[in-house]
Amino acid sequence: MFNESDAPQPPKVLNTPLEIVANLRQLLDSHDPLIITFHERSQRFQSYVVDVDRDSNSVALDEMIPRDGEKFIENGEPFRVEGFHDGVRIAWECNSPLTITEVDGHRSYRGPLPEEVVYHQRRNAFRAALKLSQLVDVTLDGTHIKGNGALRGKLLDISATGCKMRFEGDVEERLQLGQVYERFKAGNPLGLVDVMVELRHLHFEERINTTFAGVRFHNLSGQAQRKIESFVYQLQREARRFDKDDY
């Protein structure tokens, strides 16, 4: 169903300052969101790389969202940082105390560069877009959804590892990047029920009053995985047939 080139690549461990700085600068320049998790704690926090200083061998992270994660930094608790850049997972451990500073009214946390960074090229899964006339109804729900009721929207595209969807209006306040939601459903012909998903991207487009969300499937059952791969394969075949009809 998938080419060998789509297979997951083993993670690499980068441990030279040059490699580490280059990858942290990619996260900085692209403003890629980071997920921060403290050891022994289940809550996740969002941040960004806001500065990489090769001269002082230091890196600064933006104020955490939600802000209450700052007290764990004040306590000197170690944490893991995880970001994604063009499908590559870039992660590291922070075991050193950080200095909380404020520059031009913006709060940040500065500490030494990590001694090593895990660089993991994930599966380059084929992502199939759905035609506007065939958009599948989706529901996102779970104990961590804020506000009343589930979110209902449309599936825009899907791969073997995740999907993108849209919701009417601004629902950014109801969701949290990095959070796992345990009740994602997708209507027929996909037919998924109560699949766990992890929120990876979230963006409200004011011009069209629509929120776009990207999720990664989490702990899929074999049956759900087969349903998804079959659906993606079907969309892939239809796309190829459509391309041929264009000539």
Side-chain angles (χ1 to χ4, degrees):
M1 193 177 293
F2 297 100
N3 298 329
E4 284 183 20
S5 61
D6 290 336
Q9 301 296 313
K12 299 175 188 172
V13 178
L14 311 178
N15 48 29
T16 70
L18 194 65
E19 292 175 310
I20 290 170
V21 165
N23 280 277
L24 295 186
R25 282 202 173 130
Q26 283 187 329
L27 295 172
L28 169 67
D29 294 342
S30 300
H31 201 58
D32 295 314
L34 305 176
I35 306 298
I36 290 179
T37 48
F38 289 87
H39 302 185
E40 312 297 327
R41 299 187 185 277
S42 58
Q43 191 176 4
R44 294 163 178 238
F45 301 90
Q46 181 188 336
S47 184
Y48 296 89
V49 176
V50 292
D51 185 46
V52 181
D53 190 333
R54 181 70 181 90
D55 294 331
S56 62
N57 282 336
S58 67
V59 58
L61 303 179
D62 197 18
E63 179 180 351
M64 273 193 288
I65 305 169
R67 171 80 174 270
D68 56 355
E70 193 171 292
K71 62 178 178 282
F72 305 136
I73 283 185
E74 289 174 334
N75 293 341
E77 294 187 27
F79 58 89
R80 165 172 281 270
V81 185
E82 181 183 39
F84 283 82
H85 179 77
D86 289 345
V88 176
R89 176 175 172 266
I90 299 171
W92 66 95
E93 299 281 345
C94 183
N95 298 310
S96 305
L98 301 185
T99 304
I100 301 175
T101 59
E102 229 173 86
V103 180
D104 298 330
H106 297 289
R107 213 161 175 80
S108 65
Y109 319 115
R110 184 174 292 278
L113 286 175
E115 291 183 6
E116 59 181 38
V117 165
V118 175
Y119 177 99
H120 193 184
Q121 175 72 57
R122 291 301 183 93
R123 178 185 195 153
N124 186 23
F126 175 84
R127 186 169 284 275
L130 281 74
K131 296 174 185 174
L132 285 174
S133 59
Q134 299 175 329
L135 296 186
V136 172
D137 291 328
V138 294
T139 304
L140 186 62
D141 199 4
T143 52
H144 296 288
I145 291 275
K146 297 170 187 171
N148 295 321
L151 291 172
R152 302 182 189 280
K154 296 287 187 181
L155 184 69
L156 299 179
D157 69 29
I158 185 169
S159 76
T161 54
C163 66
K164 184 177 179 181
M165 50 197 150
R166 74 174 190 213
F167 302 101
E168 282 190 21
D170 184 357
V171 299
E172 281 190 311
E173 293 298 317
R174 298 191 59 192
L175 297 169
Q176 171 68 42
L177 271 176
Q179 186 63 60
V180 173
Y181 298 96
E182 61 270 31
R183 292 196 293 277
F184 169 77
K185 300 179 183 180
N188 290 325
L190 182 50
L192 289 179
V193 179
D194 291 349
V195 166
M196 294 175 73
V197 294
E198 182 179 359
L199 187 65
R200 279 289 165 192
H201 299 284
L202 187 63
H203 173 65
F204 173 61
E205 189 63 58
E206 189 174 2
R207 183 173 49 85
I208 54 175
N209 193 34
T210 300
T211 302
F212 295 93
V215 298
R216 189 169 71 188
F217 299 125
H218 190 77
N219 292 345
L220 278 177
S221 67
Q223 182 186 19
Q225 184 77 58
R226 287 190 292 276
K227 277 187 178 182
I228 292 165
E229 292 192 352
S230 174
F231 186 60
V232 171
Y233 184 55
Q234 178 190 337
L235 291 171
Q236 194 173 10
R237 286 181 62 189
E238 287 178 5
R240 283 175 179 160
R241 190 163 61 240
F242 183 75
D243 287 344
K244 284 178 185 173
D245 291 346
D246 277 353
Y247 288 101

